Amino acid sequence: MNAPAELAVIKQHLIDPEICIRCNTCEAICPVQAITHDNVNYVVDASKCNLCMDCISPCPTGSIDNWRTMPRLRAYTPEEQLTWDELPAELPAEELEGLAEAGGDVAVALAPAATPAVVKDPSGAEVFNSSTFGSTLPPWSAAHVYTNLYGPKAAQKTITATVVGNVRVTEVGKTAGSDYDTHHIVLDFGAMPFPVLEGQSIGVVPPGVDDIGRTHHARQYSIASPRNGERPGYNNLSLTIKRVLQDHDGEPVRGVASNFMCDLQVGDKVEVIGPFGTSFLMPNHPKSNIVMICTGTGSAPMRAMTEWRRRLRASGKFEGGKLMLFFGARSQEELPYFGPLQNLPKDFIDTNFAFSRTPGAPKRYVQDAMRERAADLALLLQDPNTYFYVCGLKSMEEGVVLALRDVAQGAGLNWDSIGPALKREGRLHLETY
Amino acid sequence: MSTVDYSDKIPNNVNLSEDRTLQRALEQWQPNYLKWWDDMGPDGSQNFDVYLRTAVSVDPQGWAQFGHVKMPDYRWGIFLNPAEQDRKIHFGDHKGEAAWQDVPGEYRANLRRIIVTQGDTEPASVEQQRHLGLTAPSQYDLRNLFQVNVEEGRHLWAMVYLLHKYFGKDGREEGEALLERNSGNADNPRILEAFNEETPDWLSFFMFTYFTDRDGKFQLCALAESSFDPLARTTKFMLTEEAHHMFVGESGVSRVINRTCQVMNELKTDDPAKLRAAGVIDLPTLQRYLNFHFSVTIDLFGADESSNAATFYSTGLKGRYEEGKRMDDHILKGQTYRVLNVQNGQLVEKEVPMLNALNEVLRDDYIKDSVGGVERWNKVIEKAGIPFRLTVPHKAFHRNIGLLKGVKVAPDGRVISESEWAANRDNWLPSESDRAFVASLMGRVVDPGKFANWIAPPVMGVNRQPVDFEYVRFG
């Protein structure tokens, strides 16, 4: 969800050539011209696709709704896809990890927050595919979203936002030699309409051109502020952006958009497109519980949802519904918003941290924290008013969904009915990259 | 209808709640439409709750709202694709001028004729298919039939909107007449012959939605280029729905093939008699159905040489398929195109002015598009390891319009004698006994997740629902 273009592993959007009827609906509807075709196939260009999902529901066949976990640098090119008779299988976990490593991409430098992306089901030889449990429908009580108000197919191609705040939100980065830092950046839209909801994202178009003289494509960032603005009642929003300066081997790598954003000064202008996202949205009915599971900058939408609930609570309008957070990082110093999170009342949010690289302590991932809280999670799993949100590195997704399944089964619940119900009812949302 | 909340009952983006004239016209027309649906729509299905897709707006989120709906309560909306700012006419004699937001007086009659002809096909197919619900091979298929039917109904609304909004009194009269003509009615038939044929069985339905709805796609694509902007925007939105109809056809035939190949491999036979005894439709019979539907459909494009086609193009009423992607002057004067003719018992190509051959241009584009799906069907056969290929017949085969009308041509393109035609007709087109056999397979299967023996289940359900979902709840 955050800056997929700058991460090692992406969820690549593909079209199944065996089911597609080449009707052109997806190409006509794609707001960023990511879909093209020849006489044989329709294909999606991973470097352009912003995962806005606009093409999903209009597709009459369902062929559009296919995803493969791929190292970004090895994403299937449009040219490759044009030769396909059928979709390739999902890459085995070992090959995936090897390719990502070989790609030398920056995100691999982060400790994986979970076990590998594809997991052998312990109960048998079958592969457990977590992404099949993710909803594409919003909660029934979600507010109505606006999408693609600005973009290639909109009347106005981009909207100019003004930077009104830029602060570091991690301990790391304060000292020389840190390999990255994370910034909280606030953009203001002045008098121009840009209505957003928690869980949505925006695209930032970095200025200038790339190595081959093309305008940079937009990078997507999750919104970290609630619907009524970072500052309530103002037409602004915030983003959580991590800058990367070095790869695994200490080689310098500069993410074009993340460095551009992190270096912005108050008063600078940014070209924005969006908003994007129609399903990773929070429930609004008073009895709804929210369970949030995230790593790193995957915390952005969680911060947005938590803050909206906090504001509602402060206004006395919203008493019901539990909030539970599982937050993973390598260390406490790398955890965005650690300080503010600590200050939230315990009866408002039940926060659980998992650090994988605390010196002298065993590695601990978010799914370990979830298993520890199995008793409470099982109660929430049984409640049809509970909504689950997972955002962060792709490598966490499988472990998290498996943990949910184990928690359910450990409590004597039937995962075979709960899992599909979560998906069907828009109650389990996976946004991993 | 005075109590109607227009935005809820008739979702629209044409400002219906503010347009008193349009409201009055629709108030007259809508009860007649509902009566037509009751009388001529899907037989005995008015109380079923059907898992339908309804468009409530034109944005990606709004036009695919799924839920169980009784068909008479389906919200037939009126939608135009969003307007393109300062849209210019991009072909014909008016190229470069601003697109028309109203009907130019000099083209009024032709535009009305185009809209009425297109509009007439929409309810016609509902009438043709009205009995199919009684023999559905599964709930999934029944739901798809009903989805196609309600969308054809919406397409009728779309055309009637244009007639009411832009053609005054005679537009309203044409709107009424669209409900008065009926498919196959000897006294008051539908305008185009193909829409007066019955769709007697589900194989015909799948072939119809693959081949004949694809003709609809090409006609709509040509109208989506129109200089009359409301027509262009209306047809653009209809195309999104038309895609589902073609999917029903392509996947339906593909599933029939899949099941047949499965039984062929189980029984290790390609003997049609044995396969029929096993209750599946043999591949040669599928080829004959394909020949029939393909040839009948390409007739719908009209005569190979047509001064009307030239007039419609030059005056900017109807463009070519993907006009914007073509690299020529978009005026076409002085250019030529080759059409088929018969000389001395041989098919010969003859050069004619391109403007007069625009029906043929569209027909050739259609043929190219049709072949793609047939090749995908062949992949299913290939995958099953069976040495058989389906082919589309030569475009001169079994034609009933234009220069080729009445010429006897074999599927491979050989001009043949009357006697050779008579001797082979039943090898090339569905015979009475073929149709009787297919009809004999048509039993009703309506338990969720169950499928008739002659068709394989789909790869996936509708809107990510499982295949055994309750797509239709029988009241």
Side-chain angles (χ1 to χ4, degrees), chain A residues 204-274:
Chain A
V204 169
V205 187
V209 293
D210 62 16
D211 298 343
I212 55 170
R214 286 181 316 189
T215 310
H216 288 296
H217 60 82
R219 266 62 166 196
Q220 218 173 333
Y221 297 104
S222 299
I223 296 162
S225 51
R227 64 193 71 183
N228 62 343
E230 173 68 22
R231 185 178 174 190
Y234 282 74
N235 188 15
N236 59 28
L237 57 78
S238 61
L239 307 171
T240 312
I241 300 181
K242 175 166 61 72
R243 125 176 32 240
V244 179
L245 298 170
Q246 294 182 332
D247 69 8
H248 240 351
D249 309 319
E251 295 297 319
V253 168
R254 285 185 68 85
V256 173
S258 67
N259 281 281
F260 161 70
M261 293 298 286
C262 289
D263 292 336
L264 286 169
Q265 304 292 309
V266 169
D268 286 349
K269 304 288 186 198
V270 183
E271 292 305 309
V272 169
I273 60 173

Coordinates of all heavy atoms in Angstrom, one line a residue, chain A residues 204-274:
Chain A
V204 N 1.6 10.3 -5.3 CA 2.4 11.5 -5.4 C 3.2 11.4 -6.6 O 3.8 10.3 -6.9 CB 3.3 11.6 -4.1 CG1 4.4 12.7 -4.4 CG2 2.5 11.9 -2.9
V205 N 3.2 12.4 -7.5 CA 4.0 12.4 -8.7 C 5.3 13.2 -8.4 O 5.3 14.4 -8.3 CB 3.2 13.1 -9.8 CG1 4.0 12.9 -11.2 CG2 1.8 12.5 -9.9
P206 N 6.4 12.5 -8.3 CA 7.7 13.2 -8.1 C 8.0 14.1 -9.3 O 7.7 13.7 -10.4 CB 8.7 12.1 -8.0 CG 8.0 10.8 -7.8 CD 6.6 11.0 -8.5
P207 N 8.6 15.2 -9.0 CA 8.9 16.1 -10.2 C 10.1 15.5 -11.0 O 10.8 14.7 -10.5 CB 9.4 17.4 -9.5 CG 9.8 17.0 -8.1 CD 9.0 15.8 -7.7
G208 N 10.2 16.1 -12.2 CA 11.4 15.6 -13.0 C 11.1 14.4 -13.8 O 9.9 14.0 -13.9
V209 N 12.1 13.8 -14.4 CA 11.9 12.6 -15.3 C 12.9 11.5 -14.8 O 13.9 11.8 -14.1 CB 12.2 13.0 -16.8 CG1 11.2 13.9 -17.3 CG2 13.6 13.6 -16.9
D210 N 12.6 10.3 -15.3 CA 13.5 9.2 -14.9 C 14.7 9.1 -15.8 O 14.9 9.9 -16.7 CB 12.7 7.9 -14.8 CG 12.1 7.5 -16.2 OD1 12.5 8.1 -17.2 OD2 11.2 6.7 -16.2
D211 N 15.4 8.0 -15.7 CA 16.7 7.8 -16.5 C 16.4 7.9 -18.0 O 17.3 8.3 -18.7 CB 17.3 6.5 -16.1 CG 17.7 6.4 -14.7 OD1 17.7 7.5 -14.0 OD2 17.9 5.3 -14.1
I212 N 15.2 7.5 -18.4 CA 15.0 7.5 -19.9 C 14.1 8.6 -20.3 O 13.5 8.6 -21.4 CB 14.5 6.1 -20.3 CG1 13.2 5.7 -19.6 CG2 15.5 5.0 -20.2 CD1 12.5 4.5 -20.2
G213 N 14.1 9.6 -19.4 CA 13.4 10.9 -19.9 C 11.9 10.9 -19.8 O 11.2 11.7 -20.3
R214 N 11.3 9.8 -19.1 CA 9.8 9.8 -18.9 C 9.5 10.5 -17.6 O 10.2 10.4 -16.6 CB 9.3 8.4 -18.9 CG 9.3 7.7 -20.3 CD 8.7 6.3 -20.1 NE 9.3 5.6 -18.9 CZ 9.1 4.3 -18.7 NH1 8.4 3.6 -19.4 NH2 9.7 3.8 -17.6
T215 N 8.3 11.1 -17.6 CA 7.8 11.6 -16.3 C 7.7 10.4 -15.3 O 7.3 9.3 -15.7 CB 6.4 12.2 -16.5 OG1 6.4 13.0 -17.7 CG2 5.9 12.9 -15.3
H216 N 8.1 10.7 -14.1 CA 8.0 9.6 -13.1 C 6.6 9.2 -12.9 O 5.6 10.0 -13.0 CB 8.5 10.2 -11.7 CG 10.0 10.4 -11.6 ND1 10.9 9.4 -11.8 CD2 10.7 11.5 -11.5 CE1 12.1 9.8 -11.7 NE2 12.0 11.1 -11.5
H217 N 6.4 7.9 -12.7 CA 5.0 7.5 -12.4 C 4.7 7.8 -10.9 O 5.6 7.9 -10.1 CB 4.7 6.0 -12.7 CG 5.6 5.0 -12.0 ND1 5.3 4.6 -10.7 CD2 6.8 4.4 -12.4 CE1 6.3 3.8 -10.4 NE2 7.2 3.6 -11.3
A218 N 3.4 7.9 -10.6 CA 3.0 8.2 -9.2 C 3.3 7.1 -8.3 O 3.3 5.9 -8.6 CB 1.5 8.5 -9.2
R219 N 3.7 7.5 -7.0 CA 3.9 6.5 -6.0 C 2.7 6.6 -5.0 O 2.3 7.7 -4.7 CB 5.2 6.8 -5.2 CG 6.4 6.0 -5.7 CD 6.8 6.3 -7.1 NE 8.1 5.8 -7.4 CZ 8.9 6.2 -8.4 NH1 8.4 7.0 -9.3 NH2 10.1 5.7 -8.5
Q220 N 2.3 5.5 -4.5 CA 1.1 5.4 -3.7 C 1.5 5.4 -2.2 O 2.4 4.7 -1.8 CB 0.3 4.2 -4.0 CG -1.1 4.4 -4.0 CD -1.9 3.2 -4.5 OE1 -1.3 2.4 -5.3 NE2 -3.1 3.0 -4.0
Y221 N 0.8 6.3 -1.4 CA 1.0 6.3 0.0 C -0.3 6.2 0.8 O -1.3 6.9 0.4 CB 1.8 7.6 0.5 CG 3.2 7.7 -0.1 CD1 3.4 8.5 -1.2 CD2 4.2 6.9 0.3 CE1 4.7 8.6 -1.8 CE2 5.5 7.0 -0.2 CZ 5.7 7.8 -1.3 OH 6.9 7.9 -1.8
S222 N -0.3 5.5 1.9 CA -1.6 5.4 2.6 C -1.7 6.7 3.4 O -0.7 7.3 3.9 CB -1.5 4.3 3.7 OG -1.4 3.1 3.0
I223 N -3.0 7.1 3.6 CA -3.3 8.3 4.4 C -3.2 7.9 5.9 O -3.8 6.9 6.3 CB -4.7 8.8 4.0 CG1 -4.6 9.3 2.5 CG2 -5.1 10.0 4.9 CD1 -6.0 9.4 1.9
A224 N -2.6 8.7 6.7 CA -2.4 8.4 8.1 C -3.3 9.3 9.0 O -3.2 9.2 10.2 CB -0.9 8.6 8.5
S225 N -4.1 10.0 8.4 CA -5.0 10.9 9.2 C -6.4 10.6 9.0 O -6.8 10.0 8.0 CB -4.7 12.4 8.8 OG -4.8 12.5 7.4
P226 N -7.3 11.0 9.9 CA -8.7 10.7 9.8 C -9.4 11.6 8.7 O -8.8 12.5 8.2 CB -9.3 11.1 11.2 CG -8.2 11.5 12.0 CD -7.0 11.7 11.2
R227 N -10.7 11.3 8.5 CA -11.4 11.9 7.4 C -11.6 13.4 7.5 O -11.7 14.1 6.6 CB -12.8 11.2 7.3 CG -13.7 11.4 8.5 CD -14.9 10.5 8.5 NE -14.5 9.1 8.8 CZ -15.4 8.1 8.7 NH1 -16.6 8.3 8.5 NH2 -15.0 6.8 9.0
N228 N -11.5 13.9 8.8 CA -11.7 15.4 8.9 C -10.4 16.1 9.0 O -10.4 17.2 9.5 CB -12.7 15.7 10.1 CG -12.1 15.2 11.4 OD1 -11.2 14.4 11.5 ND2 -12.6 15.8 12.5
G229 N -9.3 15.5 8.6 CA -8.1 16.2 8.5 C -7.1 15.9 9.6 O -7.5 15.5 10.7
E230 N -5.8 16.0 9.3 CA -4.8 15.9 10.3 C -5.1 16.9 11.4 O -5.0 16.6 12.6 CB -3.4 16.1 9.7 CG -2.3 16.2 10.7 CD -2.0 14.8 11.3 OE1 -2.4 13.8 10.7 OE2 -1.4 14.8 12.4
R231 N -5.4 18.1 11.0 CA -5.9 19.1 11.9 C -7.4 19.1 11.7 O -7.9 19.5 10.6 CB -5.3 20.4 11.6 CG -5.6 21.5 12.6 CD -4.9 22.8 12.3 NE -5.4 23.8 13.2 CZ -5.1 25.1 13.0 NH1 -4.3 25.5 12.0 NH2 -5.5 26.0 13.8
P232 N -8.2 18.8 12.7 CA -9.6 18.6 12.5 C -10.3 19.9 11.9 O -10.0 21.0 12.3 CB -10.2 18.4 13.9 CG -9.0 17.8 14.7 CD -7.8 18.5 14.1
G233 N -11.1 19.7 10.9 CA -11.8 20.8 10.3 C -10.9 21.5 9.2 O -11.4 22.5 8.6
Y234 N -9.7 21.0 8.9 CA -8.9 21.6 7.8 C -8.8 20.6 6.7 O -8.9 19.4 6.8 CB -7.5 21.9 8.4 CG -7.5 23.2 9.2 CD1 -8.1 23.2 10.5 CD2 -7.1 24.4 8.7 CE1 -8.1 24.4 11.3 CE2 -7.1 25.6 9.4 CZ -7.6 25.5 10.7 OH -7.7 26.7 11.5
N235 N -8.6 21.2 5.5 CA -8.5 20.4 4.3 C -7.1 19.8 4.1 O -6.4 20.2 3.2 CB -9.0 21.2 3.1 CG -9.1 20.4 1.8 OD1 -9.2 19.2 1.9 ND2 -9.2 21.1 0.7
N236 N -6.7 19.0 5.1 CA -5.4 18.5 5.0 C -5.3 17.0 5.3 O -6.3 16.5 5.9 CB -4.4 19.3 5.8 CG -4.8 19.3 7.3 OD1 -5.4 18.3 7.8 ND2 -4.4 20.3 8.0
L237 N -4.2 16.3 5.0 CA -4.1 14.9 5.4 C -2.6 14.7 5.7 O -1.7 15.5 5.3 CB -4.6 14.0 4.3 CG -4.1 14.2 2.9 CD1 -2.7 13.5 2.7 CD2 -5.0 13.5 1.9
S238 N -2.3 13.5 6.3 CA -0.9 13.2 6.6 C -0.6 11.9 6.0 O -1.4 11.0 5.7 CB -0.7 13.2 8.1 OG -1.5 12.2 8.7
L239 N 0.7 11.7 5.7 CA 1.3 10.5 5.2 C 2.4 10.0 6.1 O 3.1 10.8 6.7 CB 1.8 10.7 3.8 CG 0.9 11.4 2.8 CD1 1.7 11.7 1.5 CD2 -0.2 10.5 2.4
T240 N 2.7 8.7 6.1 CA 3.8 8.1 6.8 C 4.8 7.6 5.8 O 4.4 6.6 5.1 CB 3.4 7.0 7.7 OG1 2.2 7.4 8.5 CG2 4.4 6.6 8.7
I241 N 5.9 8.2 5.7 CA 6.8 7.8 4.5 C 8.2 7.5 5.1 O 8.8 8.3 5.8 CB 6.9 9.0 3.5 CG1 5.5 9.3 3.0 CG2 7.9 8.6 2.4 CD1 5.4 10.3 1.9
K242 N 8.6 6.3 4.7 CA 10.0 5.9 5.1 C 10.9 6.1 4.0 O 10.7 5.7 2.8 CB 9.9 4.4 5.4 CG 11.2 3.7 5.8 CD 11.1 2.4 6.4 CE 10.4 1.4 5.5 NZ 11.2 0.9 4.4
R243 N 12.1 6.7 4.3 CA 13.1 6.9 3.3 C 14.1 5.7 3.4 O 14.4 5.3 4.5 CB 13.8 8.2 3.5 CG 15.2 8.1 3.6 CD 16.1 9.3 3.8 NE 15.6 10.5 4.5 CZ 15.5 11.7 3.9 NH1 15.8 11.8 2.6 NH2 15.2 12.7 4.5
V244 N 14.6 5.3 2.3 CA 15.6 4.3 2.2 C 16.8 4.8 1.5 O 16.7 5.4 0.5 CB 15.1 3.0 1.5 CG1 16.2 2.0 1.5 CG2 13.9 2.5 2.2
L245 N 18.0 4.7 2.1 CA 19.2 5.2 1.6 C 20.2 4.1 1.2 O 21.2 4.4 0.5 CB 19.9 6.2 2.6 CG 19.0 7.4 2.9 CD1 19.5 8.2 4.1 CD2 18.8 8.3 1.7
Q246 N 20.1 3.0 1.8 CA 21.1 1.9 1.5 C 20.3 0.6 1.4 O 19.3 0.4 2.0 CB 22.0 1.8 2.7 CG 22.9 3.0 3.0 CD 23.8 2.7 4.1 OE1 23.5 2.0 5.1 NE2 25.0 3.4 4.1
D247 N 21.0 -0.3 0.6 CA 20.4 -1.6 0.5 C 21.1 -2.5 1.4 O 21.9 -2.1 2.2 CB 20.4 -2.1 -1.0 CG 21.8 -2.4 -1.5 OD1 22.8 -2.3 -0.6 OD2 22.0 -2.7 -2.7
H248 N 20.8 -3.8 1.3 CA 21.3 -4.8 2.1 C 22.8 -4.8 2.3 O 23.4 -4.9 3.4 CB 21.0 -6.2 1.4 CG 20.2 -7.1 2.3 ND1 20.0 -6.9 3.6 CD2 19.7 -8.3 1.9 CE1 19.2 -7.8 4.0 NE2 19.0 -8.7 3.1
D249 N 23.5 -4.5 1.1 CA 25.0 -4.6 1.1 C 25.6 -3.2 1.4 O 26.8 -3.0 1.2 CB 25.4 -5.1 -0.2 CG 24.7 -6.4 -0.6 OD1 24.5 -7.2 0.3 OD2 24.3 -6.5 -1.8
G250 N 24.8 -2.3 1.9 CA 25.3 -1.0 2.2 C 25.5 -0.2 0.9 O 26.1 0.9 1.0
E251 N 25.0 -0.7 -0.2 CA 25.1 0.1 -1.5 C 24.1 1.2 -1.4 O 23.0 1.0 -0.9 CB 24.8 -0.8 -2.7 CG 25.8 -1.9 -2.9 CD 27.2 -1.3 -3.2 OE1 27.3 -0.4 -4.0 OE2 28.2 -1.9 -2.7
P252 N 24.5 2.4 -1.9 CA 23.5 3.5 -1.8 C 22.3 3.2 -2.8 O 22.5 2.9 -3.9 CB 24.3 4.7 -2.2 CG 25.5 4.2 -2.9 CD 25.8 2.8 -2.4
V253 N 21.1 3.4 -2.2 CA 19.9 3.3 -3.0 C 19.0 4.5 -2.6 O 18.8 4.6 -1.4 CB 19.1 2.0 -2.7 CG1 17.8 2.0 -3.3 CG2 19.9 0.8 -3.3
R254 N 18.5 5.2 -3.5 CA 17.6 6.3 -3.1 C 16.3 6.2 -3.8 O 16.2 6.3 -5.0 CB 18.2 7.7 -3.5 CG 19.4 8.1 -2.7 CD 19.8 9.5 -3.0 NE 18.8 10.5 -2.7 CZ 18.7 11.1 -1.5 NH1 19.5 10.8 -0.5 NH2 17.8 12.0 -1.3
G255 N 15.3 5.9 -3.0 CA 13.9 5.8 -3.5 C 13.6 7.2 -4.0 O 13.7 8.2 -3.3
V256 N 13.2 7.3 -5.3 CA 12.9 8.7 -5.9 C 11.9 9.4 -5.1 O 12.1 10.6 -4.6 CB 12.4 8.5 -7.3 CG1 12.0 9.8 -7.9 CG2 13.5 7.9 -8.2
A257 N 10.7 8.8 -4.9 CA 9.6 9.5 -4.3 C 9.8 9.7 -2.8 O 9.5 10.8 -2.2 CB 8.3 8.8 -4.6
S258 N 10.3 8.6 -2.1 CA 10.4 8.7 -0.6 C 11.4 9.8 -0.2 O 11.1 10.5 0.7 CB 10.7 7.4 0.0 OG 12.0 7.0 -0.4
N259 N 12.5 9.9 -0.9 CA 13.5 10.9 -0.6 C 13.0 12.3 -1.0 O 13.2 13.3 -0.2 CB 14.8 10.6 -1.3 CG 15.6 9.6 -0.5 OD1 16.2 9.9 0.5 ND2 15.5 8.3 -1.0
F260 N 12.3 12.4 -2.1 CA 11.7 13.7 -2.5 C 10.7 14.2 -1.4 O 10.8 15.3 -0.9 CB 11.0 13.6 -3.8 CG 9.9 14.6 -4.1 CD1 10.3 15.9 -4.4 CD2 8.6 14.3 -4.1 CE1 9.4 16.9 -4.6 CE2 7.6 15.3 -4.3 CZ 8.0 16.6 -4.6
M261 N 9.9 13.2 -0.9 CA 8.9 13.6 0.1 C 9.6 13.9 1.5 O 9.2 14.9 2.1 CB 7.9 12.5 0.3 CG 7.0 12.2 -0.9 SD 5.9 13.6 -1.3 CE 4.7 13.5 0.0
C262 N 10.5 13.1 1.9 CA 11.1 13.3 3.2 C 11.9 14.6 3.3 O 12.1 15.2 4.3 CB 12.0 12.1 3.6 SG 11.0 10.6 4.0
D263 N 12.4 15.0 2.1 CA 13.2 16.3 2.1 C 12.4 17.5 1.9 O 12.9 18.6 1.8 CB 14.3 16.2 1.0 CG 15.3 15.1 1.3 OD1 15.5 14.8 2.5 OD2 15.9 14.6 0.3
L264 N 11.1 17.4 1.8 CA 10.3 18.6 1.5 C 10.3 19.6 2.7 O 10.4 19.1 3.9 CB 8.8 18.2 1.3 CG 8.5 17.5 -0.1 CD1 7.1 16.9 -0.1 CD2 8.7 18.5 -1.2
Q265 N 10.2 20.8 2.4 CA 10.1 21.9 3.4 C 8.7 22.4 3.5 O 7.9 22.3 2.5 CB 11.0 23.1 3.0 CG 12.5 22.7 2.8 CD 13.1 22.3 4.1 OE1 13.1 22.9 5.1 NE2 13.8 21.1 4.0
V266 N 8.3 22.9 4.6 CA 7.0 23.5 4.7 C 6.9 24.6 3.7 O 7.8 25.4 3.5 CB 6.8 24.1 6.1 CG1 5.5 25.0 6.2 CG2 6.7 23.0 7.1
G267 N 5.7 24.6 2.9 CA 5.6 25.6 1.9 C 5.8 25.1 0.5 O 5.4 25.6 -0.5
D268 N 6.5 23.9 0.4 CA 6.8 23.3 -0.9 C 5.5 22.8 -1.5 O 4.5 22.5 -0.7 CB 7.8 22.1 -0.8 CG 9.2 22.6 -0.6 OD1 9.4 23.9 -0.7 OD2 10.1 21.8 -0.2
K269 N 5.5 22.6 -2.8 CA 4.3 22.1 -3.5 C 4.5 20.7 -4.0 O 5.6 20.4 -4.4 CB 3.9 23.0 -4.7 CG 3.7 24.5 -4.4 CD 2.5 24.7 -3.7 CE 2.2 26.3 -3.5 NZ 1.3 26.6 -2.4
V270 N 3.4 19.9 -4.0 CA 3.5 18.5 -4.4 C 2.3 18.2 -5.3 O 1.2 18.7 -5.0 CB 3.4 17.6 -3.2 CG1 3.5 16.1 -3.6 CG2 4.4 17.9 -2.2
E271 N 2.6 17.5 -6.4 CA 1.5 17.1 -7.3 C 0.9 15.8 -6.9 O 1.6 14.8 -6.7 CB 1.9 17.0 -8.8 CG 2.3 18.3 -9.4 CD 1.2 19.4 -9.3 OE1 0.1 19.1 -9.7 OE2 1.5 20.5 -8.8
V272 N -0.4 15.7 -6.7 CA -1.1 14.6 -6.1 C -2.2 14.1 -7.0 O -2.8 14.8 -7.7 CB -1.7 15.0 -4.7 CG1 -2.6 13.9 -4.2 CG2 -0.6 15.3 -3.7
I273 N -2.4 12.7 -7.1 CA -3.5 12.1 -7.8 C -4.3 11.3 -6.7 O -3.8 10.9 -5.7 CB -3.1 11.3 -9.0 CG1 -2.2 10.1 -8.6 CG2 -2.5 12.2 -10.0 CD1 -1.9 9.2 -9.7
G274 N -5.5 10.9 -7.1 CA -6.3 10.1 -6.2 C -7.6 10.8 -5.8 O -8.1 11.6 -6.6

